[in-house]
Amino acid sequence: MSDNVTAPNSALIYTYTMTTSPQSIRTLVLWTLWPLVVLCVLVMLMAGFMWFFSTLLFTPELIADMRLDPAFERWPAELWELILEMPTLMLVTFVAALVTLVICIGGLLRTRWGYWGLVASFWLGVPLNLLGIIWHWRFMDRVFPALSALLADYGVPGGESGYWSAQLSGVMFGLVFAVGFGLTARQLQRPEVNAYFNRATNPKAPS
């Protein structure tokens, strides 16, 4: 059977399965870190913009006035709470993305603190995504009836099908990311990948 037939169907599969040679380990690390760097930068830009926008426009005084407006009286209380907490949430998001970016830079430089920071970050992502599923389920439980009624006023169909679509989408995304984070953490903890981040014992590994 030819090599073309037996080769993995994608370079990503190859990277995550053939991690014994220095070159494949380097590819694994770079394909893990560079997309994460790009994601961190995008998240920081989004969080910074949203923080500025929510802080500048949605002041507590403005929110209090809006809640007295009959046009907004049917909005769920949870939505108002989320709007009020948006600056804090965006600040936390910005800081988390910045810390992750620093860890990624440490990983690209093959430092030990960068390596252990990556491992810890990916393992931490597993329970956080699972907790996110619970939070999303409970939040949608509380706000969906009111949101569905509001959408119905504008002729947008919702109802039970929309509720289950939103809930199952949240569960699916949470599980996919939790599993992905866990698998990546396990790959990073393989002995040969661990050794890649130790220049003292592996100085000739490609950087």
Side-chain angles (χ1 to χ4, degrees):
M1 187 175 292
S2 68
D3 290 340
N4 290 334
V5 175
T6 58
N9 291 328
S10 70
L12 184 60
I13 294 176
Y14 177 82
T15 300
Y16 275 81
T17 54
M18 305 295 290
T19 57
T20 55
S21 71
Q23 184 59 42
S24 60
I25 293 171
R26 176 178 181 272
T27 304
L28 166 66
V29 172
L30 294 182
W31 281 24
T32 300
L33 289 177
W34 278 115
L36 196 55
V37 167
V38 174
L39 179 62
C40 287
V41 172
L42 292 177
V43 169
M44 289 172 61
L45 291 174
M46 180 207 71
F49 173 78
M50 290 296 295
W51 177 86
F52 178 80
F53 182 79
S54 58
T55 303
L56 182 67
L57 294 184
F58 291 105
T59 62
E61 295 78 12
L62 177 61
I63 296 298
D65 291 340
M66 290 177 64
R67 297 190 71 168
L68 297 175
D69 191 325
F72 299 104
E73 63 182 359
R74 294 174 60 188
W75 276 32
E78 289 80 6
L79 281 183
W80 293 113
E81 294 172 6
L82 184 61
I83 293 173
L84 284 171
E85 295 297 328
M86 189 61 67
T88 301
L89 292 174
M90 290 300 100
L91 184 60
V92 171
T93 301
F94 182 91
V95 172
L98 178 60
V99 171
T100 305
L101 179 61
V102 172
I103 290 173
C104 288
I105 293 173
L108 289 171
L109 295 175
R110 291 172 54 199
T111 64
R112 295 303 295 171
W113 62 264
Y115 169 75
W116 288 114
L118 283 172
V119 172
S121 297
F122 279 108
W123 277 126
L124 182 62
V126 176
L128 287 180
N129 276 283
L130 296 178
L131 289 174
I133 293 174
I134 298 173
W135 178 88
H136 179 267
W137 192 281
R138 296 180 63 185
F139 182 78
M140 291 304 298
D141 255 348
R142 293 194 297 266
V143 305
F144 191 85
L147 286 178
S148 183
L150 287 174
L151 292 175
D153 291 344
Y154 294 97
V156 179
E160 187 174 354
S161 62
Y163 169 81
W164 286 110
S165 175
Q167 294 287 41
L168 294 177
S169 295
V171 171
M172 179 188 70
F173 279 107
L175 289 177
V176 167
F177 279 101
V179 171
F181 279 29
L183 291 177
T184 302
R186 284 181 60 86
Q187 283 289 336
L188 289 173
Q189 288 186 280
R190 294 176 61 140
E192 59 269 23
V193 180
N194 187 325
Y196 173 83
F197 288 89
N198 193 344
R199 287 183 177 272
T201 60
N202 193 21
K204 295 183 179 181
S207 58

